[in-house]
């Protein structure tokens, strides 16, 4: 095996960015060629020297695992396994829910399983955007508000947490995708988007990672689309016979899809504005550091 083939094997399915692969490959190639030259000076042929240099460098799969573990916190192989398994579990839980409903077996937990698995899939995928532990802690914090929304909508948690207020539904109204089942929610969509924008700015200040900072909007869109798919499937197969504690019949749900699509459009617009703004801020910070240096 020559040095280039060895490097190709190291970075195969590493999921590193093109820039990272290029920089690391150049650094490793320099070490390998230096080691090869050392062995040639000892009397080895070109092929023997390359073989010894590669052998002394280590197993390519082990090096790939180490590189990706240092980059993402987990190996790329493990991350891919999490993504694939959680995707399969998402589809399986949705299909199982439909089958169980056909046999009159249904409850709120069955509806929550697909949400849990799509969250795991999204979190695993987003790991590929992290580069340090701070990024990963910020990523863990992203689904918290949405989780509170689902817990409030399904389990009624936190609804009487302020005593005098009979029904406290802030999380449900702002962060639960199923809340947009009827009219009069436009103000909630805007307020929810502004809170996500604040969360994005906080995450950017902490992590300086633009992509991780924008995850609140990505998760919001993901949950909205997932809600449309999950309950759309139930209504597709069972029509108005489908009954859930968080929907009010097919016609109301179908009307709510217009608002959900509007919500997605608003979130995408806000996400784009924030991306451009944060990119400019990051360039200014980098430029000021260069000038200071």
């Amino acid at each position: 095996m020559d040095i280039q083939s060895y490097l190709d094997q190291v970075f195969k399915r590493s999921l590193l960015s093109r820039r990272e692969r290029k920089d690391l490959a150049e650094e490793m190639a320099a070490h390998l060629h230096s080691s090869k030259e050392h062995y040639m000076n000892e009397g080895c042929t070109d092929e023997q020297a390359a073989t010894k240099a590669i052998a002394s460098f280590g197993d390519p799969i082990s090096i790939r695992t180490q590189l990706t573990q240092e980059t993402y916190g987990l190996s790329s192989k493990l991350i891919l396994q999490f993504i694939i398994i959680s995707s399969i579990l998402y589809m399986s839980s949705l299909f199982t829910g439909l089958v169980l409903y056909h046999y009159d077996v249904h409850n709120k937990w069955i509806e929550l399983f697909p949400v849990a698995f799509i969250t795991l899939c999204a979190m695993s995928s987003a790991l590929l955007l992290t580069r340090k532990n701070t990024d990963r802690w910020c990523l863990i914090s992203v689904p918290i508000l949405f989780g509170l929304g689902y817990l409030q909508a399904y389990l009624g948690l936190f609804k009487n947490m302020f005593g005098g207020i009979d029904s406290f539904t802030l999380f449900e109204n702002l962060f639960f995708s199923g809340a947009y089942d009827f009219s009069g929610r436009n103000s909630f969509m805007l307020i929810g988007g502004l809170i996500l924008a604040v969360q994005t700015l906080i995450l950017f200040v902490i992590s300086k990672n633009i992509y991780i900072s924008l995850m609140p909007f990505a998760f919001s869109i993901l949950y909205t689309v997932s809600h449309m798919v999950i309950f759309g499937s139930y209504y597709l197969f069972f029509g108005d016979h489908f009954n859930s504690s968080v929907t009010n019949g097919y016609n109301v749900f179908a009307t709510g899809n217009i608002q959900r699509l509007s919500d997605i459009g608003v979130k995408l617009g806000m996400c784009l504005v924030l991306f451009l703004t944060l990119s400019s801020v990051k360039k200014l910070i980098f430029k000021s550091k260069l000038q200071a240096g």
Side-chain angles (χ1 to χ4, degrees):
M1 181 189 297
D2 60 25
I3 289 175
Q4 186 57 51
S5 299
Y6 173 79
L7 292 174
D8 289 341
Q9 198 167 345
V10 168
F11 293 104
K12 184 180 181 181
R13 293 191 296 275
S14 68
L15 305 179
L16 295 167
S17 69
R18 184 181 299 178
R19 174 76 176 271
E20 287 170 329
R21 289 198 303 271
K22 181 176 180 293
D23 291 344
L24 287 168
E26 287 177 355
E27 183 180 345
M28 291 170 65
H31 285 291
L32 285 164
H33 283 295
S34 175
S35 180
K36 176 184 174 182
E37 187 175 342
H38 167 75
Y39 286 118
M40 288 182 71
N41 290 336
E42 288 187 344
C44 293
T45 64
D46 185 87
E47 186 176 344
Q48 289 172 333
T51 301
K52 285 190 174 184
I54 289 170
S56 66
F57 211 76
D59 176 61
I61 297 176
S62 299
I63 293 174
R64 182 200 310 151
T65 300
Q66 182 183 346
L67 285 174
T68 56
Q69 213 155 14
E70 290 172 356
T71 304
Y72 307 126
L74 294 173
S75 69
S76 56
K77 181 181 179 180
L78 194 56
I79 292 173
L80 283 173
Q81 287 175 345
F82 275 130
I83 293 172
I84 293 169
I85 292 171
S86 56
S87 298
I88 293 171
L89 288 173
Y90 169 73
M91 297 302 298
S92 299
S93 61
L94 178 55
F95 177 74
T96 301
L98 292 170
V99 172
L100 289 174
Y101 196 88
H102 177 73
Y103 291 102
D104 297 322
V105 179
H106 192 79
N107 57 50
K108 59 187 68 177
W109 297 105
I110 291 174
E111 292 181 16
L112 282 173
F113 274 121
V115 177
F117 291 132
I118 200 68
T119 300
L120 179 60
C121 182
M123 294 286 283
S124 302
S125 302
L127 274 177
L128 298 174
L129 301 172
T130 66
R131 289 298 180 273
K132 52 187 186 293
N133 284 331
T134 306
D135 293 345
R136 290 182 271 277
W137 282 113
C138 287
L139 177 61
I140 290 172
S141 73
V142 170
I144 291 175
L145 290 174
F146 303 105
L148 291 173
Y150 274 91
L151 289 175
Q152 194 171 64
Y154 276 98
L155 306 181
L157 299 183
F158 318 113
K159 284 200 173 183
N160 297 305
M161 59 189 297
F162 290 117
I165 300 177
D166 293 330
S167 180
F168 176 75
T169 57
L170 178 66
F171 299 119
E172 178 182 350
N173 287 335
L174 297 182
F175 307 111
F176 171 55
S177 63
Y180 309 120
D181 274 349
F182 46 87
S183 60
R185 295 286 182 176
N186 293 333
S187 60
F188 285 119
M189 284 194 288
L190 181 59
I191 294 170
L194 291 174
I195 293 176
L196 294 181
V198 171
Q199 186 183 8
T200 291
L201 293 174
I202 292 172
L203 292 177
F204 179 73
V205 169
I206 296 171
S207 69
K208 305 298 186 297
N209 186 323
I210 295 175
Y211 299 104
I212 294 299
S213 302
L214 291 171
M215 281 297 106
F217 287 96
F219 273 69
S220 178
I221 293 169
L222 172 73
Y223 287 131
T224 302
V225 173
S226 180
H227 183 88
M228 294 168 70
V229 170
I230 293 169
F231 289 98
S233 299
Y234 278 100
Y235 281 120
L236 176 65
F237 286 99
F238 305 109
D240 274 325
H241 294 292
F242 173 63
N243 183 37
S244 169
S245 60
V246 296
T247 59
N248 298 302
Y250 173 74
N251 290 332
V252 176
F253 178 80
T255 302
N257 280 339
I258 298 173
Q259 289 176 286
R260 293 186 188 93
L261 292 173
S262 300
D263 185 42
I264 290 172
V266 170
K267 299 286 173 56
L268 285 173
M270 295 179 74
C271 191
L272 178 60
V273 170
L274 282 167
F275 176 78
L276 295 173
T277 302
L278 295 178
S279 296
S280 300
V281 169
K282 198 165 185 178
K283 286 178 182 178
L284 287 173
I285 293 172
F286 181 71
K287 187 176 179 181
S288 63
K289 283 183 178 179
L290 282 178
Q291 291 174 345

